[in-house]
Amino acid sequence: MASVKIVLRKKQNKDGTYPLAIRITKDRKSSYVYTGHHIVESLWDSKSRRVKKSHPNSQRLNNLLTKKMAEAEDSLLELETQKKDTSSKVVKSKLKTSKATSFFAQAEAYLAQLKKEGKYNRRKSDKSRIESFKTYLDGSDISFQDITTSLLNKYRAYMKAKKLSEQTIVNYLTIVQTIFNLAINNGVTEEKYYPFGRDKIKLKAPRSMKIGLSPEEVKSIKDMELPADSYMHHARNLWLISFYFAGMRVSDVLRLKWTDFQNDRLYYAMGKNAKGGSLKVADKALAILSEYREQKNSHDLVFADLASLDDLADTYNVQRRISGVIQKLDEALKDIAKDAKITKTLTMHIARHTFGNISGDKIPIQMLQKLYRHTSITTTIGYQANFIHKDADEALDEVIGF
């Protein structure tokens, strides 16, 4: 009969720690499944096969080891009940392909799925948030039962002490919630352990301030003298195209193709929600587009920033390239703002805020929903509220204007 035990492998890591593993033994032959955790030898109780209490994360580690042992024993029992081969290698193989039950194992599965779906930006930001939680736990894994309200409140306090903004704190806690929901849906943990919701951890993102440029500031950018062959000139052109097309997202600007333009109109589906529609091509936009007519590329792209990519259908690599291009564009726009004596932040995304700021309450909200390509009008109302100040200004004047 095969046996399973938790052991501290005597293969020292560079940092002086040793790996914790499940040892499967059958017919005097052993195989090892590593838990992903490492401790110094002095903190391991070889008699009880437990991490000593002097380890700062002893309770969480021991709970996790107990769970992994139970999984190993269940796998062994299942194989023996089915009278299948129960060699140490077979048990090891079954354990490795069994459902991952720890938080970071589920997190890895989540990140792998994002990559498969081509969501580079989401994966990049969520990966850093997951790493933050792992750093807080001193690099150790954790079971879902141990992610309690108390632990998350301590994590929140830890982030506040590091001077992180409230929005960042909410984002970091939200990824923990996302992985927890995934684990519940996968049957890895139970809803009774869920630490979010009423009388538990509540996540409410603070309302962010969206500030756009004024018409005068846009004009100062447009009228700047920039060398036609300079990157600043190109960055200015892309920013203006975004603004002229109702604050089109930069990712959509970069993916524009000449075939998207028909009969003096632009036809495109927004990348974020695949919502389609068309817009008039204003004379100001036509003047910019005419500069790029002779720059041919194999993808028929208007702007060549993504032209060197082999496959524009490879969403993950396209998003990765777009991320790098945006960084470069925003650096150039920073210099443009300085030269134009604009003290507000100037980035590609600010073109969208600028359209919202200048439109204010001049355009019916239903039309703005269409221009922004919002799925819900509630989103449009919430977004445009950042830029409508007339009623509040008049109310203030009524009180203090004496």
Side-chain angles (χ1 to χ4, degrees), residues 91-145:
V91 180
K92 175 183 176 178
S93 176
K94 185 169 178 61
L95 274 174
K96 280 193 158 186
T97 56
S98 66
K99 201 178 288 181
T101 58
S102 67
F103 177 84
F104 291 109
Q106 284 289 294
E108 283 300 317
Y110 167 74
L111 292 174
Q113 185 61 31
L114 288 181
K115 186 170 185 178
K116 190 176 178 181
E117 293 171 0
K119 296 178 179 178
Y120 172 79
N121 294 324
R122 180 78 179 273
R123 184 180 182 275
K124 183 182 177 183
S125 56
D126 284 352
K127 186 178 181 182
S128 68
R129 292 162 187 166
I130 290 166
E131 287 300 322
S132 167
F133 190 44
K134 195 166 192 175
T135 299
Y136 171 70
L137 297 172
D138 296 323
S140 64
D141 207 339
I142 188 169
S143 66
F144 286 94
Q145 293 94 317

Side-chain angles (χ1 to χ4, degrees), residues 211-224 236 239-240 243 336-337 340-346 350 354 357-358:
I211 301 173
L213 272 54
S214 67
E216 294 74 24
E217 287 167 327
V218 174
K219 191 173 185 306
S220 70
I221 291 172
K222 177 180 173 295
D223 294 342
M224 281 182 71
R236 188 256 305 274
W239 191 93
L240 288 171
F243 172 69
I336 289 171
K341 296 181 170 50
I342 294 172
T343 56
K344 295 173 185 172
T345 300
L346 182 63
I350 293 299
T354 299
N357 184 50
I358 295 174

